[in-house]
Amino acid sequence: MNLLSRLPKETADSLTNVQLQHLKIAYGSGQFRKHKVDIRGTFPVPFYPSRIYFVILMGRNIRSLSRQEQSIAIFNILIMATIFLALSTALGLIILYFIKSALGINLLDGYSLGLWDWFKQFWK
């Protein structure tokens, strides 16, 4: 009935019973309900005569995103890329600092971050 209500009136009226049965079979076949993770179950509730059911579904989202969802996705990608670049840059600078310190190169006389001394003390 939900499908018929979305069809134009002329089209819905022109469908025969056989066509309706075929639509019902095709629509209810569950082809659109396949998920990578599909966990369903029930469990009893103490002192309550009914059972409670749960459903956990996970899979690839094949729906088209709304404009708001697209802007949120782009914002999340930008945040993740910024965090990745900041962490990569920090790690690269720390590695370069350790290489510089291991080679004994002092860029500023009398000044040290103390990372090399901490690193040597940590590995004793």
Side-chain angles (χ1 to χ4, degrees):
M1 288 305 194
N2 191 14
L3 175 66
L4 286 177
S5 67
R6 288 185 272 151
L7 290 175
K9 178 102 171 100
E10 310 83 46
T11 306
D13 291 340
S14 69
L15 292 174
T16 65
N17 285 337
V18 174
Q19 290 172 329
L20 286 172
Q21 289 298 327
H22 287 276
L23 276 175
K24 191 175 184 181
I25 291 169
Y27 186 71
S29 66
Q31 292 296 325
F32 57 92
R33 296 184 190 151
K34 293 187 179 176
H35 298 89
K36 294 277 184 185
V37 176
D38 188 349
I39 302 170
R40 301 167 191 251
T42 61
F43 58 91
V45 178
F47 309 111
Y48 190 71
S50 298
R51 298 172 64 86
I52 293 180
Y53 72 93
F54 65 92
V55 177
I56 299 174
L57 299 174
M58 288 165 110
R60 186 171 162 256
N61 187 6
I62 56 174
R63 297 177 296 144
S64 60
L65 298 177
S66 68
R67 189 174 295 249
Q68 182 181 9
E69 289 172 327
Q70 287 176 349
S71 63
I72 290 171
I74 289 172
F75 180 74
N76 285 338
I77 289 171
L78 288 175
I79 292 293
M80 295 302 286
T82 303
I83 290 171
F84 174 76
L85 287 173
L87 290 176
S88 298
T89 302
L91 183 63
L93 290 173
I94 289 171
I95 289 172
L96 287 174
Y97 178 80
F98 281 145
I99 292 170
K100 173 200 76 76
S101 297
L103 294 174
I105 300 170
N106 288 328
L107 298 177
L108 300 172
D109 289 331
Y111 180 76
S112 174
L113 290 177
L115 283 176
W116 182 248
D117 295 331
W118 171 82
F119 183 74
K120 287 194 310 188
Q121 185 181 29
F122 181 72
W123 287 103
K124 277 188 179 182

